[in-house]
Amino acid sequence: MLEILFPSLSSIVSLTAIGVAFGLILSISKLKLKVEKDPRIEKVLEALPGANCGACGMPGCAAYATRIVEQKFEINLCPVGGAESADAIAEIMGMEKTGGAAVALKARVHCQGGIDVTRKKFDYSGPMECLAAHNLMGGPKMCEYGCLGFGDCVRSCPFDALHMDARGIPVVDPVKCTGCGSCVRACPRGIISLVDGTIDVLVMCRNREKGPVMKKGCAVGCIACKLCEKACREVFKDRPEIGTAIEIRDFLAEIDYSKCINCFKCVEVCPVPVIHPIERSKKMQKGAAQAQAASGE
Amino acid sequence: MSPTFRGGIHPPESKKVTEDCEFSNLSIPSKCFIPLQQHTGAPARPVVNIGDIVTEGQLIGASEGPVSANVHSSIPGKVVAIDTVPTVYHLQRAVVIEMEGSLSASASVRDKEDWRGMSREEIIQRIRDAGIVGLGGAAFPTAVKLVPPPDKKIDTLIINGAECEPYLTVDDVLVRTFPAEIVEGIQITLKALGIANAIVGIEDNKGRALRVLSGAVKGAAIEERIQVRGLKTKYPQGAEKQLIYSLLRRKVPSRGLPMDVGVVVQNVGTIYAIREAVAFKKPLFERYITVSGDLINRPGNYKIRLGMTVADIVEECGGLKGEPEKIIFGGPMCGVTVHTMDMPVVKGTSGILFLSKKQVSVEDFGPCIKCGRCVKACPVNLMPCDIASAVEVGRLDLAEGLSVFDCIMCGSCSYVCPSRRPLSHFVRLSQDRLRKKKK
């Protein structure tokens, strides 16, 4: 009877014995090789947004949490969580609440050369990615500095804050953008940068060629006429220590955001216009007024 | 059976067009755009100013850094600008020279100097001064190649006369026209390397070149051991690593250089230029190229001045029969498609092809159908299909394990793909992405 129920008693006994032995080894090693882990790491990780975007400079949220607890890293490095998560972490770590990073940075696109205003130098039929196109003779557009429009930045955004508009230029949604910098790293042309979110003035060009060379490929690039620089010097006329916040370097206007006071004087004088927001430039306003007058007639 | 390697493809040779064309000189252009970067490595530093009068062969760009090459003026004249021009290496600074004065260097025949009396260093210095780079296409500075690091022992010099690219015939005609000069060039290069073994590899579809060169080697009473060997006609037979494997059965390690297996490879065109530089002190300011394709009126093999633009060459060669779909610098497999007729010819340009719509496939690519033809064709045993699919969906981690950096960019995979996928471009993209990630 017993033999029918258990045809091989020895195998049952030996397997049980092996199981018990391994079980003992595992439980002993769990006690002996226990790794002490700070429970605060888990809590800090919960306080972080969990986007794993890398904006703090660490490979992901878990790495940042570990370093906050173990190596006493700054707690306000996460631009995504901002003040909220910094305060939560401060509470966990028993530190003083300091709020988020001083300035909320937003991604800004420095190009307005969509397909309607730029010229192509050849037809491209390779992989539809900016990096692939950029490394093939500088991309299909005449301008070797501007946006290629294949959307590497859009794909890289973990927060769905970037979208291609109809002209093939990425548009940043300032509400969704957390300033993590994924798009800045993804763009092979370096036309996206992180700019103080409170400042609206922005040079929408990255072309460092002379005006006539640039004009061959794009109708809306910086022509380096220096009108913006002159206007800005006028603003800071009685503060010679500042001089100017916008300056032409290598045939391209560049704004020093530590000096810019958001006065829109450079925007108004730009003849192209290439300084954002272009609606405020005199040329655009004049055009709009004319259009209105024409429609009124 | 001629020696060869695994994989590879057999594109239509299309060499009949220019095979029998003897070399002829194109007339000297009135304006030259001479880029300061015509080689792999750092661009040269301009040593002339706007308004300077230069003579033929005068140094206009000095080599900058360890891997770089001198650049010389190819016409006598006046420097009118130092400007950015489109070249096959993206936008580059170039010295623009307008023809003025007389052609002194080419008119007077210099006496040949006795190179056997020179020391190794002297020979290499002359090669360096002349700005010689690899004329097969990659344009790596030759002087750098001839001075390997002391821990690498070189025993064999391989002369690349395979010319596996379709259409191109310049090396073939060069060997047939100047066999004795090539043999002398090989001897000079051997002396510069301090070795005595050389093998010339030529594909067996160029029977005449093989016979002529073998005869020249036998005819010259020389102490060096120079062999001439036929290779199977297959693309990419002329790729450095494939050539070494075919001739010596030595495998260059992954991401290694030929010098790791004791070999230096030089193109026959480079060998010819080395002889001119060492024996006649002539800098590299002109080269032989093949002008071919179905749209050019007078295809052929021509001697041209570097810095001549495509537009000038077209005019000299009788114009075009129609609007070209593609203009390619180099061969159709490895060459660079250019987008403007203002592109100047540089040292690494072995040919210019003008192809009509019939010869070019411009189609949108489809998805991978997993047929495995690219795997079969790949001469370095990669799996281009898997690499491309991984990159397409953004899985760099998968691509990383597929040895993407071993790719030699021969384009065999793209050629055989029935789905017209730009596989080699995808592999290049994976390399770029991985490099960017490591930064």
Side-chain angles (χ1 to χ4, degrees), chain B residues 398-418:
Chain B
L398 291 179
E400 204 166 5
L402 293 168
S403 326
V404 292
F405 287 102
D406 284 349
C407 178
I408 55 166
M409 291 294 151
C410 66
S412 300
C413 48
S414 310
Y415 180 80
V416 295
C417 183

Side-chain angles (χ1 to χ4, degrees), chain B residues 341-355:
Chain B
M341 296 278 259
D342 299 329
M343 198 75 80
V345 171
V346 292
K347 290 175 184 176
T349 311
S350 45
I352 303 178
L353 309 179
F354 299 89
L355 302 179

Side-chain angles (χ1 to χ4, degrees), chain A residues 127 129 135 138 152 185-186, chain B residues 90 339 425-426 428 432-433 436:
Chain A
E129 297 198 28
N135 285 341
D152 278 16
R185 288 187 291 276
Chain B
H90 279 217
H339 56 85
H425 199 170
F426 271 119
R428 168 105 146 259
D432 293 338
R433 284 224 183 288
K436 208 173 164 186

Side-chain angles (χ1 to χ4, degrees), chain B residues 50-65:
Chain B
I50 295 168
D52 284 5
I53 301 290
V54 292
T55 57
E56 205 176 9
Q58 186 184 328
L59 185 74
I60 53 174
S63 87
E64 188 94 325

Side-chain angles (χ1 to χ4, degrees), chain A residues 121-122 124-129 131-138 144 152 185-188 209-210, chain B residues 83-84 87-88 90-91 336-339 343 362-363 365 391-392 422 425-426 428-429 432-433 436:
Chain A
K121 63 182 173 198
F122 57 84
Y124 176 79
S125 61
M128 290 296 158
E129 297 198 28
L131 186 63
H134 172 67
N135 285 341
L136 193 86
M137 303 290 286
E144 297 208 355
D152 278 16
R185 288 187 291 276
C187 180
E209 296 297 333
K210 288 174 190 164
Chain B
D83 219 345
T84 321
T87 75
V88 283
H90 279 217
L91 288 176
V336 182
T337 307
V338 301
H339 56 85
M343 198 75 80
V362 188
E363 283 173 61
F365 59 89
V391 176
E392 212 172 13
H425 199 170
F426 271 119
R428 168 105 146 259
L429 177 65
D432 293 338
R433 284 224 183 288
K436 208 173 164 186

Side-chain angles (χ1 to χ4, degrees), chain B residues 129-186:
Chain B
D129 288 346
I132 309 272
V133 301
L135 298 183
F140 192 82
T142 303
V144 183
K145 242 187 190 177
L146 293 178
V147 192
D151 57 319
K152 308 274 186 223
K153 191 104 188 68
I154 304 292
D155 55 37
T156 314
L157 167 71
I158 288 183
I159 314 299
N160 187 353
E163 201 162 54
C164 54
E165 281 268 10
Y167 288 102
L168 302 186
T169 53
V170 58
D171 289 353
D172 181 19
V173 179
L174 190 73
V175 169
R176 271 167 18 213
T177 319
F178 306 108
E181 284 83 350
I182 300 277
V183 172
E184 197 180 359
I186 296 170

